[in-house]
Amino acid sequence: MSTSKLTHVRDTSIMERRLRPIYDWLDNGMHKKALQECDKVLKKTPYLQCAKALKAVALLRLGKAGDSKVILEALVNECPTDDATLQAISICYKESNEFENICKLYEAALKVDKTSEELYTHLFMSYVRVNNFKEQQRVAMALYKLKPRSPYYTWAVMSNVLQATRSYDDSKDDQKRSLLLNLAERMMVKLLDKQNKSAEGEHEGHLYVHILDLQGKYQEILTFLTTPLGDKLLNGAIQFDRLRFFVKLKRWKKVNVYCKQILNESIDKWNIWMEYLNSVFELMKESSENKRDKKIEDGGEIVENGNNGENSTGNGEIEVTADDSPEKAHEFICSLIENGFNGYAQRGPYLARIELCQRLHQRLTASTNITSNVINDLLGEPAQLFVEYFRLFGHKPCCVSDLRSYLNILNSEERALLCENLLKDLNVASNSIATTMDQMQRHISAIQLSRLSGTYQHLEPETLYEIANILTGHYNLGYERYGKDLLVTDQGPSDPYGLVASHILYDIGMKTQSSEPLICALVVLENLLKNSKSCFHAKLLCVKLYHQLGGGSCAHSMYESLDLKHIQLDSLGYVHCSRLPTTGLFTIASQLYETTIKFFVANYRDSSDHLTFVYKYGSFGKIDEFMDFREKLYNSLHYTQVVMDRIVLTLMQSASLDGLTEADLTIKERKIDWEAACDNSDLSVYLSWDPERIENPPEKWDCVKLRVKQNQIFAEIRSLMVNCFSIAFKTARISETSVEKSPHLEELKSTLKSWENLNSQHSNLTHLNVTERFVSLPLKSRLISYFKVPYFEVLGEFFAVFIYFSSGKESEMDANVLERIEKYHETILTSIKDLIRAEIASDDVYFSRSTTIEILVNFVELLTLCAFVLTLCNETLKVKTKNKSKNKNKIDSNSSLKGKEILSGLVSNQINVLNETVLCLDGWCAKEFSLEMLEKQIEGLRIDKTTFTGVISKLEASLQNALRELKAVLNLKCKVLMGLI
């Protein structure tokens, strides 16, 4: 080894030894120690680029982003090429969400070292993170030319495919899309021919099939699957993997035969049962349209003729034939039921028979040649199919969800009779409990089916109370016999009794518009949770009911006990996080916002690494899945709403402008694409036995679609309001003359106009009737309460004052502006007093409380935001005063004095309004709730009275917490404004 090489090895080992402690401190989260170690190393070796990069990482994690950025900019200008330095700089850019800068970093490094395979690889992955498909392809081809390896070639091919399917411009143009996919196909054919289609290139084979699938070339796929490589891709499950391509080609006979082959081996595959029945009815359709003889397929692989069942072939093998009629389908299903499967009854064929019955009934309603007598002769009475299924599988918790979508086969009388017979067969008295666990589960299933069938829908509240009492009695007996000595993580076997009872009590509350049944439901659930701490269904119901009764802090305690993590913060955020801003609990709201936003930001950063792993391991089939998931979260409506609520809360709680930055008031790095915005709420998490659930899941209900629309409109309006504050803040901090501020002021005026247009366009949506009678639905949209408060009218006037101040035209201000503001203040105070007076005088102290608190929070929010605008006006005047001595042109002193006078008047008026509001809130003395009103219900539910008093005390404590926080925010703004006078 030469002397120079020895020196290089020695220097490298020395650097690694010096840098190792820094890496260790950073990995352990000891960022101050890491920073100190960086300074020590840089004193000895100030030229060491990696140490500088690690120092930037430490500074960034210590919250000193500005200092970190200075080091990075100087370091990038040096064009580093060693991997350790580049990786450290990349970490900084990743944690700052500046992925584009990573691309520039490696582009610069490649200009210095053009033959580095590693640098090319990192550059390709950096473009993967930002979805720059054209650059991906360019880098991948350059990498393949440098090192001709098939993985690099497939990177280029996949980049072509993504251009065709994901690129905004190319995917919209059918001609470009077709051209790119054809190019990708030809490239793969060339690669596979080069490999002689051996069974080695499994990843290449999957990519080739994916490209053909995108072009709809299904026959070519089937042909390819007969090659050695294609056979390996099938992984032994030939029929299952080929099946989807036969379905796309509409070759229903082969679909039918393949399904039968799979079902003979795996009787319980429900997706195969559905494809089988689809093929049966498609063959029936073809048969009715075409009376010609069936064609016998050549090739000997599968013989399809007019015979059904299993026939002997010449060589002694069994051939499977297609089923093209309901009779043949029923015969096949019955043969599987009779043969059984390992001695155990499987749900698949029994459900398939009910599915067949439903489809025949649908054809009956479509006026075909099928009659109800034909269906009954073939399958028997539909109700009997339900009874048979229930007798076999009624002890399984999935029984009700299995049968739910098929209950529409029966009319209302038949459903009622079915449930009555099922309950009679079980012979469980109202004051007794089942003798076995399985019998108890059957009883629970029968009760749930009764609710689904609408048995309780038209009963009087008194009767419903009696049913709820019976169910709670069953719960208590079931807990005593079967619910003790369970693990903490186990759910009690009798818990569904309590859940159904709480649903019935919720129905009573919605029918009578009373809070008493809702309180009873909460008591039932709280009692259930004492015995079954992990029953998340009960916790979710408690969160909703506490919000409906105005108990925000109670709902938050229950929500925290759910311990939601990761994707649940988005899919279940509507349960609590979206409602928390309306409760006035700003402290816990702030904490929850931070947790939620961290998840979304971390996901967007980390999901880019998932895409790079797909390329590294050749799992191209997962790319669309990962990208869809990433985009779904990035465009989440809940994420957008949380970010805006966090900004509004920051404005409300800001004691001065000094602690705020422009980033604090920015919604997102880019403009929100409202067309791509999606609601990711998971409504199926709530158990639901409402009769309407038979026809469709909640996501398809009109009332849910209307709520989603209202929520999106509210988010759009909210974003315009937040943008107004962001622009105004940026304008107020400009230390220049009004000429430099004019573009920002024009933008502010334009945003205010858009806000006004959106307000007038959608104000009619608040009058649409959105039902709240379903316990599984989200609470009403915040758009309703938004329009009950004059947000735009008042803030529009304050922003008009700000525009006058910023443009230096205080003397030209319309005097009517100040008068209108005073009138709005009077109206707001009157509305607040009326709200509190009506709440105190109400006979039902809880039913309307959540609405009252929500509107009060909106008024407080509006007043504090107005105070923030006044601080921006004061900042504008301060900037003018500072520039007065520097400005050569004389500033109109009369205008300046006029501005101070106007601002002083506005501030004084605002302080008076804030103080008056605090006095109004002080006057809210909640009426004491008497448990005597619920004595009958307490006795009927057989629950300890302390559980009732505990629920009431928590609701009252929540109200006091909310009032305390509202007054604290108002007093803070008063203090801030007093400093301006």
Side-chain angles (χ1 to χ4, degrees):
M1 187 180 290
S2 66
T3 307
S4 60
K5 286 184 178 179
L6 284 170
T7 304
H8 175 73
V9 171
R10 187 180 66 241
D11 291 344
T12 302
S13 63
I14 292 170
M15 290 304 103
E16 287 180 357
R17 190 173 68 250
R18 288 179 178 175
L19 295 175
R20 175 52 50 198
I22 303 175
Y23 284 112
D24 291 339
W25 290 126
L26 288 172
D27 289 342
N28 294 325
M30 307 293 286
H31 304 126
K32 280 189 177 181
K33 292 282 188 182
L35 183 60
Q36 292 169 3
E37 197 68 33
C38 285
D39 290 333
K40 288 180 184 178
V41 173
L42 287 171
K43 279 183 181 180
K44 295 179 181 179
T45 52
Y47 58 85
L48 189 56
Q49 293 177 330
C50 188
K52 294 178 185 177
L54 292 173
K55 183 177 180 179
V57 173
L59 286 168
L60 181 65
R61 292 179 179 177
L62 287 168
K64 299 178 180 179
D67 296 337
S68 176
K69 190 174 182 180
V70 171
I71 295 174
L72 287 178
E73 287 176 354
L75 196 53
V76 169
N77 290 333
E78 297 176 14
C79 294
T81 57
D82 67 290
D83 185 59
T85 303
L86 292 172
Q87 288 292 333
I89 297 173
S90 298
I91 288 171
C92 286
Y93 287 141
K94 280 182 189 177
E95 294 183 3
S96 304
N97 289 324
E98 298 176 7
F99 295 102
E100 291 285 353
N101 287 336
I102 302 177
C103 304
K104 296 174 184 177
L105 177 69
Y106 281 103
E107 286 282 11
L110 269 172
K111 288 178 182 177
V112 178
D113 186 359
K114 297 181 180 179
T115 59
S116 173
E117 179 184 5
E118 192 174 13
L119 289 178
Y120 267 115
T121 304
H122 283 303
L123 179 60
F124 176 82
M125 296 305 176
S126 68
Y127 282 123
V128 168
R129 291 188 182 94
V130 296
N131 293 340
N132 193 333
F133 308 125
K134 287 184 180 179
E135 289 301 315
Q136 281 179 217
Q137 185 200 12
R138 177 185 65 80
V139 176
M141 287 308 298
L143 184 55
Y144 181 69
K145 288 176 183 177
L146 181 69
K147 299 285 183 180
R149 297 173 183 167
S150 61
Y152 299 151
Y153 189 82
T154 55
W155 290 2
V157 175
M158 192 65 218
S159 300
N160 249 335
V161 172
L162 291 173
Q163 281 186 67
T165 58
R166 295 278 179 174
S167 176
Y168 183 79
D169 296 325
D170 297 335
S171 61
K172 304 292 182 185
D173 189 329
D174 292 337
Q175 189 175 359
K176 282 185 179 180
R177 174 187 165 89
S178 177
L179 187 66
L180 288 165
L181 289 176
N182 280 327
L183 174 60
E185 182 187 350
R186 289 198 302 272
M187 291 174 73
M188 286 308 302
V189 169
K190 182 179 177 182
L191 178 64
L192 292 173
D193 286 341
K194 189 176 179 180
Q195 295 177 341
N196 297 319
K197 292 186 177 165
S198 65
E200 298 299 323
E202 189 175 339
H203 297 313
E204 292 85 341
H206 279 298
L207 179 55
Y208 182 55
V209 169
H210 178 60
I211 293 167
L212 292 175
D213 193 4
L214 288 171
Q215 297 179 91
K217 296 182 178 181
Y218 308 124
Q219 186 56 54
E220 287 85 342
I221 294 173
L222 291 171
T223 303
F224 174 71
L225 292 178
T226 60
T227 64
L229 175 58
D231 193 31
K232 184 178 180 182
L233 299 183
L234 293 174
N235 236 354
I238 298 175
Q239 295 93 336
F240 183 77
D241 287 290
R242 285 180 176 167
L243 180 61
R244 64 189 182 99
F245 299 114
F246 283 126
V247 170
K248 290 180 178 180
L249 285 168
K250 297 184 177 180
R251 296 172 65 177
W252 300 115
K253 287 188 178 180
K254 284 211 169 189
V255 170
N256 189 280
V257 172
Y258 272 124
C259 286
K260 290 176 71 175
Q261 290 176 343
I262 296 170
L263 290 170
N264 276 316
E265 298 174 2
S266 304
I267 196 173
D268 225 21
K269 287 186 178 294
W270 184 242
N271 58 332
I272 304 300
W273 274 115
M274 296 298 282
E275 291 296 352
Y276 168 74
L277 291 173
N278 287 339
S279 66
V280 170
F281 283 91
E282 289 294 339
L283 288 171
M284 287 173 59
K285 187 178 177 182
E286 288 179 4
S287 178
S288 63
E289 292 174 353
N290 187 359
K291 300 295 184 180
R292 294 193 303 269
D293 294 336
K294 298 178 182 179
K295 297 179 180 180
I296 300 177
E297 187 174 312
D298 296 328
E301 181 187 359
I302 297 172
V303 179
E304 296 167 343
N305 52 34
N307 298 322
N308 184 55
E310 297 178 346
N311 301 314
S312 296
T313 60
N315 56 9
E317 295 179 356
I318 299 296
E319 65 182 37
V320 182
T321 56
D323 297 338
D324 57 358
S325 68
E327 292 79 10
K328 294 177 182 179
H330 186 243
E331 184 181 343
F332 172 68
I333 294 169
C334 289
S335 69
L336 292 180
I337 291 174
E338 289 169 5
N339 294 335
F341 194 77
N342 294 333
Y344 294 98
Q346 300 286 319
R347 291 154 55 214
Y350 292 94
L351 275 178
R353 192 163 56 176
I354 302 175
E355 176 73 23
L356 176 62
C357 181
Q358 185 185 54
R359 295 194 184 202
L360 289 172
H361 272 277
Q362 288 170 351
R363 289 174 70 87
L364 172 64
T365 57
S367 303
T368 63
N369 55 358
I370 294 178
T371 65
S372 58
N373 290 333
V374 171
I375 299 173
N376 292 344
D377 291 342
L378 177 63
L379 300 169
E381 291 290 335
Q384 193 58 36
L385 297 177
F386 286 92
V387 171
E388 184 178 358
Y389 186 86
F390 187 86
R391 284 174 179 168
L392 286 170
F393 307 107
H395 63 287
K396 294 180 179 289
C398 61
C399 174
V400 176
S401 58
D402 285 345
L403 297 178
R404 180 171 53 202
S405 58
Y406 298 115
L407 286 171
N408 54 12
I409 300 173
L410 309 175
N411 59 38
S412 56
E413 291 80 10
E414 290 171 331
R415 290 177 202 165
L417 184 61
L418 169 67
C419 296
E420 185 180 343
N421 290 335
L422 291 178
L423 287 168
K424 279 182 180 178
D425 288 346
L426 290 167
N427 195 27
V428 177
S430 59
N431 59 351
S432 66
I433 191 63
T435 55
T436 66
M437 185 93 74
D438 282 356
Q439 189 187 17
M440 185 177 73
Q441 182 57 55
R442 291 178 193 278
H443 187 234
I444 289 169
S445 297
I447 289 169
Q448 292 170 347
L449 283 172
S450 295
R451 179 170 168 81
L452 264 174
S453 300
T455 306
Y456 309 145
Q457 200 168 21
H458 303 294
L459 298 178
E460 293 299 319
E462 292 77 10
T463 308
L464 290 175
Y465 263 124
E466 290 176 10
I467 295 171
N469 293 342
I470 291 170
L471 290 175
T472 53
H474 281 308
Y475 166 76
N476 291 329
L477 292 171
Y479 171 71
E480 290 296 328
R481 180 172 294 184
Y482 305 113
K484 293 187 175 181
D485 301 324
L486 296 175
L487 296 175
V488 178
T489 53
D490 290 340
Q491 295 192 33
S494 65
D495 287 355
Y497 283 124
L499 295 173
V500 177
S502 63
H503 281 225
I504 291 172
L505 290 167
Y506 181 87
D507 289 347
I508 300 171
M510 291 300 103
K511 277 185 179 181
T512 60
Q513 292 291 286
S514 169
S515 66
E516 293 173 14
L518 302 183
I519 293 172
C520 290
L522 272 173
V523 171
V524 169
L525 294 170
E526 289 275 15
N527 181 65
L528 187 155
L529 287 169
K530 286 180 182 178
N531 304 325
S532 182
K533 298 183 186 302
S534 62
C535 184
F536 66 92
H537 295 297
K539 292 178 182 179
L540 285 167
L541 278 174
C542 282
V543 172
K544 174 165 183 172
L545 292 172
Y546 274 126
H547 272 301
Q548 281 194 298
L549 297 174
S553 60
C554 317
H556 184 69
S557 299
M558 199 62 69
Y559 177 83
E560 282 192 318
S561 70
L562 285 166
D563 196 23
L564 302 184
K565 289 184 174 65
H566 307 300
I567 188 63
Q568 293 173 324
L569 293 172
D570 184 33
S571 61
L572 297 181
Y574 75 95
V575 172
H576 178 62
C577 190
S578 60
R579 297 302 306 170
L580 197 54
T582 67
T583 63
L585 302 171
F586 303 129
T587 303
I588 59 176
S590 181
Q591 295 167 356
L592 189 54
Y593 294 159
E594 291 305 316
T595 303
T596 305
I597 291 171
K598 278 179 183 177
F599 158 70
F600 282 104
V601 172
N603 170 76
Y604 189 74
R605 181 175 63 244
D606 297 341
S607 61
S608 63
D609 291 330
H610 300 158
L611 293 174
T612 62
F613 294 146
V614 167
Y615 284 96
K616 286 178 183 177
Y617 299 112
S619 306
F620 299 115
K622 292 291 182 183
I623 283 185
D624 285 329
E625 186 179 333
F626 283 141
M627 293 185 76
D628 288 340
F629 180 74
R630 191 186 194 202
E631 290 173 8
K632 195 172 184 180
L633 285 184
Y634 185 67
N635 294 314
S636 168
L637 195 61
H638 178 60
Y639 172 38
T640 302
Q641 187 60 60
V642 167
V643 172
M644 289 187 293
D645 283 333
R646 192 264 302 164
I647 293 171
V648 171
L649 189 55
T650 301
L651 296 174
M652 293 173 65
Q653 295 180 321
S654 62
S656 68
L657 299 182
D658 297 333
L660 293 176
T661 64
E662 196 174 316
D664 293 330
L665 308 183
T666 304
I667 296 175
K668 281 185 181 178
E669 293 79 10
R670 62 172 180 80
K671 189 176 180 180
I672 300 170
D673 184 1
W674 292 109
E675 291 183 4
C678 54
D679 180 50
N680 300 328
S681 300
D682 180 12
L683 301 183
S684 63
V685 72
Y686 278 105
L687 288 176
S688 173
W689 304 289
D690 298 306
E692 290 78 4
R693 186 68 177 80
I694 295 173
E695 298 298 332
N696 287 307
E699 290 82 357
K700 294 185 178 180
W701 294 355
D702 290 337
C703 55
V704 172
K705 291 177 180 177
L706 177 58
R707 276 203 180 118
V708 172
K709 183 181 179 182
Q710 288 177 335
N711 288 338
Q712 181 164 340
I713 292 166
F714 176 71
E716 287 187 56
I717 292 173
R718 194 84 158 167
S719 70
L720 289 171
M721 183 182 82
V722 168
N723 282 336
C724 287
F725 281 99
S726 179
I727 297 165
F729 178 78
K730 193 190 306 179
T731 308
R733 301 306 289 266
I734 295 176
S735 58
E736 301 293 339
T737 61
S738 57
V739 177
E740 284 74 15
K741 294 183 178 182
S742 59
H744 298 291
L745 294 177
E746 289 302 318
E747 185 183 2
L748 177 57
K749 290 176 184 177
S750 173
T751 308
L752 285 167
K753 186 65 179 175
S754 299
W755 183 6
E756 182 182 17
N757 293 338
L758 203 59
N759 255 19
S760 57
Q761 182 182 350
H762 295 296
S763 58
N764 61 323
L765 283 177
T766 58
H767 304 298
L768 295 178
N769 183 25
V770 182
T771 182
E772 291 188 55
R773 69 183 183 87
F774 302 114
V775 71
S776 59
L777 295 188
L779 294 166
K780 62 185 176 182
S781 171
R782 290 167 62 189
L783 185 73
I784 310 299
S785 64
Y786 164 82
F787 279 114
K788 292 181 179 179
V789 175
Y791 268 97
F792 173 76
E793 293 81 354
V794 178
L795 281 173
E797 299 290 359
F798 274 85
F799 278 120
V801 172
F802 173 78
I803 290 170
Y804 277 117
F805 275 78
S806 299
S807 57
K809 299 177 180 178
E810 298 91 331
S811 58
E812 301 175 16
M813 190 182 299
D814 183 6
N816 294 330
V817 172
L818 304 178
E819 292 178 8
R820 288 196 295 269
I821 288 175
E822 287 183 10
K823 287 182 180 178
Y824 279 128
H825 280 159
E826 291 173 6
T827 304
I828 289 171
L829 280 174
T830 302
S831 300
I832 292 173
K833 290 173 182 177
D834 291 343
L835 269 173
I836 294 174
R837 195 179 298 119
E839 181 69 19
I840 294 173
S842 174
D843 292 330
D844 193 336
V845 296
Y846 291 116
F847 195 77
S848 61
R849 178 172 290 180
S850 63
T851 303
T852 303
I853 294 175
E854 183 174 355
I855 297 173
L856 273 176
V857 169
N858 286 349
F859 277 122
V860 170
E861 183 179 282
L862 175 58
L863 292 173
T864 54
L865 292 177
C866 291
F868 186 82
V869 177
L870 292 178
T871 60
L872 293 179
C873 293
N874 182 68
E875 182 71 12
T876 303
L877 286 179
K878 283 168 64 178
V879 170
K880 284 183 184 179
T881 306
K882 288 179 182 178
N883 290 335
K884 185 174 181 181
S885 58
K886 300 177 183 179
N887 197 344
K888 294 181 181 179
N889 299 323
K890 291 184 178 179
I891 295 177
D892 186 359
S893 58
N894 291 331
S895 175
S896 181
L897 290 172
K898 175 84 173 180
K900 289 180 181 178
E901 182 183 341
I902 293 170
L903 180 62
S904 179
L906 285 170
V907 167
S908 299
N909 191 1
Q910 192 69 24
I911 290 172
N912 291 336
V913 174
L914 294 172
N915 285 327
E916 283 288 328
T917 306
V918 171
L919 291 174
C920 291
L921 295 176
D922 283 333
W924 185 348
C925 299
K927 186 188 293 184
E928 186 176 348
F929 185 84
S930 174
L931 287 177
E932 294 178 2
M933 303 166 63
L934 291 174
E935 275 187 4
K936 185 179 178 182
Q937 286 82 351
I938 293 172
E939 185 179 346
L941 293 173
R942 304 171 212 177
I943 295 173
D944 187 7
K945 193 173 181 179
T946 57
T947 309
F948 279 86
T949 56
V951 169
I952 299 300
S953 61
K954 284 196 284 188
L955 288 171
E956 289 306 314
S958 178
L959 173 64
Q960 296 306 317
N961 290 338
L963 293 175
R964 192 180 304 113
E965 296 230 17
L966 288 173
K967 288 186 283 188
V969 168
L970 291 168
N971 288 326
L972 174 66
K973 285 301 177 184
C974 279
K975 187 176 178 181
V976 171
L977 291 179
M978 288 175 69
L980 305 182
I981 299 176

